[in-house]
Structure formats: structure tokens, C-alpha cells
Amino acid sequence: MKLTINGEDHQTEIAVLSDLLVWLDYEGDWLATAVNGELVHREDRLGFALNDRDRIEILSPMQGG
Amino acid sequence: MLDLYGTSLSNRLLLGTARYPSPAILADAVRASRTEIVTVSLRRETAGTSKSGTFFELIRTLGVRVLPNTAGCHTVSEAVLTAKMAREVFATDWIKLEVIGNHDTLQPDVFGLVEAARILSGEGFKVFPYMTDDLVVAERLLEAGCAVLMPWCAPIGSAMGPINLSALRSMRAHFPDVPLIVDAGIGRPSHAATVMELGFDAVLLNTAVAGAGDPVAMAAAFAGAIEAGRSAHHAGLLEPRDMAIPSTPVIGKAVFS
């Protein structure tokens, strides 16, 4: 299925958000995730089902003014 | 003491963390500024870089509170989602709410700002709205649940300093009990001192320190200027006048002719 991750299209059969983060080699606790414009809490990623054409945002801390 | 949403602060400078020459200089500038609050942001994480925690771990070692922003958001829905993601990452319900309305001036979209402030306040956020110096917008933001207001004094990063002093004076007079923080447009310590002399409660700045030749020395300079401006406000400033007044008493002066 097709997933849009941080604006880039990916083809994958991984259908769970926590598995996707592992597959993409995201590390650390400093991440926030959203699917289709809705926040997915850290504790909800395990078992959060993904569907074809989902839009996923993965954000982390950066410098800001 | 400055009270922001029930948190007491002794320092009146809020410092941004962007655009420093190095993480070490950022850390030294934060220490030199004696700030208790730094602003931070969120970005799209690049897969596999494992860098996501490095910046925030540095900030955590500095012992300061963080005020996450919604920089770069142009719509209410973007700003609301970014605020929620920031609360998840930074474990704070404080949010510097930015809804940008114009690419060139980075002027806030005050209509979207009020709407986003209402939504976020309703969800338990403590909203610090980046706004213009408009009194009616200020009223609407207070009605929306904001208990702190952050008017610009000039466009972000412009270093122009307060370009509309009468608007800032008017804001201070209309909202004597609301913490008012001048956010954006400050270029020099004298600008910060000026708005503090007007009675503003604090100053938020970034580029004026980060872009200085010596950011650490400039951070200390701003700290001094903000304290001086605050003390001067309390001490009672003279109003300017058109005519001269001799500072040396003339009574008892000898007459030689």
C-alpha cells in the first residue's frame, strides 16, 4: 500500500505505526506522530493500524524562536 | 516576580534557540542571558538519523522551561495539530501560538490566531499568542482564554525595534493586569530597554542575540538592558518637555553685575 510519510510517498506492507517507525529506523523517545491530521499518542502507536494512502507526520524537537 | 499562567519567574527575558553558530554558543548564551524560558520548535524528522534527541537533551541540561512554538503554521488546523504534537514531545501545555498570515512580513493572521487560541485553550493549553499590537485582537484573545499576550514590535527578525510606540503604550494602558511580552522585532538592547520602560512585563527575542558577532556577550547585554528598563519603569520616568529647566538651583546664586 502507499503511505505518505513526512510528505514523501512510500510503498510498504507494514500496517502498524510502531512497526513503521522501526522499519524506517526512527530512534529515541523524542518523536510525535500524527496520521491524517490527528495526533497519535506515543502509547497508542503499538497496534495503530495504517491504511492505504494514509498521511503520516513524524516530528522531533528543533531550535525555534 | 513575573507570573505566567501561575508560574513565577524572576527573569524577564525569553530567549529563542535558533540560528546560533553552534550548540555550545547557544548553551553559553542561554546561561549568560539568565533566562528561565527558551522557545523551541518541531520539524519533520529524517528517518535513520537518530539525531532527534540531541538538541532537546542539550536544552534539558540547561535547567530552563521550554515554550514550544507553532512556527511556520499558516492555518488553524496546522497550528492546532502542531501544538498537540509539541505537547506530546515537550511534555508542557505551554504553547507559543503562531498563525502566519503573510509570507513577506510574517504578520500573524489574527483571525486564525483567535480561532486557534480558542480551540487550544479549550483543550487545556496555556496559550502565548504571537499577535499584532491591535487592541481589539487583544480583547478577542483574552475572551478566547489567553492569560498572556505577546504583541510584535516590528516584523520577526527585522531588528527594527518598536516602530509604533503609541500602540504599545496604548496596549499597556488598556490591559494593566495582563502579562504583556513584546515578541519579535527587537534588534538591540536599547529597544528592549525602551519597551520595558513602557511597562511591558518581558521581552522575547532570538535573532538579535543569535545573529550578533558575539552572541554570549549580547545575551548578557540584553539581560542588563531589560533589568535597567524594568527598574526605570518602577522608578518613575520624567516626561519629555519642550523647554529647558536648569538642573542647578538658581536660588542664592551670586549676582556680579
Side-chain angles (χ1 to χ4, degrees):
Chain A
M1 64 181 177
K2 188 185 102 173
L3 298 176
T4 304
I5 303 166
N6 283 351
E8 291 182 8
D9 291 342
H10 292 254
Q11 285 292 334
T12 177
E13 293 313 309
I14 295 173
V16 173
L17 183 56
S18 55
D19 293 344
L20 183 75
L21 293 176
V22 172
W23 177 63
L24 289 171
D25 200 20
Y26 282 102
E27 292 182 18
D29 299 325
W30 313 115
L31 297 175
T33 48
V35 177
N36 299 330
E38 295 290 334
L39 174 70
V40 179
H41 288 291
R42 190 177 285 121
E43 59 271 23
D44 295 334
R45 289 177 201 149
L46 196 66
F48 189 96
L50 299 173
N51 298 298
D52 188 36
R53 301 184 181 280
D54 275 353
R55 291 172 292 108
I56 297 150
E57 289 289 329
I58 304 166
L59 304 187
S60 66
M62 71 171 284
Q63 299 84 344
Chain B
M1 295 289 272
L2 173 61
D3 185 286
L4 300 177
Y5 288 107
T7 297
S8 289
L9 302 153
S10 52
N11 190 278
R12 290 168 183 274
L13 170 58
L14 290 74
L15 192 62
T17 55
R19 298 177 177 270
Y20 289 81
S22 71
I25 291 173
L26 162 63
D28 286 345
V30 168
R31 290 188 197 98
S33 74
R34 303 194 295 280
T35 186
E36 294 168 85
I37 301 172
V38 297
T39 54
V40 293
S41 196
L42 287 175
R43 66 163 172 213
R44 282 176 166 173
E45 175 70 354
T46 309
T49 55
S50 305
K51 298 280 191 201
S52 57
T54 313
F55 162 69
F56 193 38
E57 279 163 11
L58 170 69
I59 295 300
R60 283 162 62 98
T61 64
L62 298 172
V64 290
R65 285 181 163 270
V66 294
L67 174 59
N69 68 25
T70 62
C73 291
H74 287 256
T75 66
V76 172
S77 59
E78 275 180 339
V80 168
L81 177 58
T82 302
K84 290 177 182 175
M85 294 179 87
R87 181 160 66 178
E88 172 98 350
V89 168
F90 296 111
T92 176
D93 51 12
W94 284 14
I95 191 74
K96 173 181 162 176
L97 182 60
E98 297 183 39
V99 183
I100 300 300
N102 183 282
H103 286 281
D104 294 326
T105 62
L106 298 180
Q107 177 165 348
D109 167 1
V110 294
F111 306 97
L113 182 68
V114 170
E115 189 183 339
R118 184 170 290 116
I119 293 168
L120 291 170
S121 297
E123 299 203 14
F125 281 89
K126 311 286 194 298
V127 178
F128 294 66
Y130 160 64
M131 58 183 293
T132 57
D133 51 22
D134 188 292
L135 294 180
V136 180
V137 171
E139 290 280 8
R140 296 289 183 274
L141 286 166
L142 295 173
E143 288 165 15
C146 297
V148 173
L149 298 175
M150 299 210 299
W152 70 353
C153 76
I156 295 174
S158 69
M160 285 194 283
I163 53 176
N164 191 347
L165 279 175
S166 72
L168 294 178
R169 251 189 223 108
S170 179
M171 234 187 134
R172 181 69 285 176
H174 275 79
F175 306 104
D177 302 321
V178 178
L180 299 180
I181 301 170
V182 167
D183 174 17
I186 297 278
R188 329 175 149 223
S190 55
H191 297 154
T194 298
V195 299
M196 293 304 290
E197 286 171 3
L198 294 179
F200 277 76
D201 294 283
V203 169
L204 196 167
L205 55 90
N206 189 150
T207 314
V209 167
D214 181 344
V216 181
M218 190 59 82
F222 269 103
I226 288 166
E227 274 183 31
R230 179 75 186 167
S231 299
H233 173 69
H234 281 301
L237 290 152
L238 289 184
E239 289 305 314
R241 53 193 301 151
D242 291 334
M243 301 299 288
I245 298 179
S247 41
T248 305
V250 291
I251 297 170
K253 183 183 181 300
V255 178
F256 297 113
S257 58

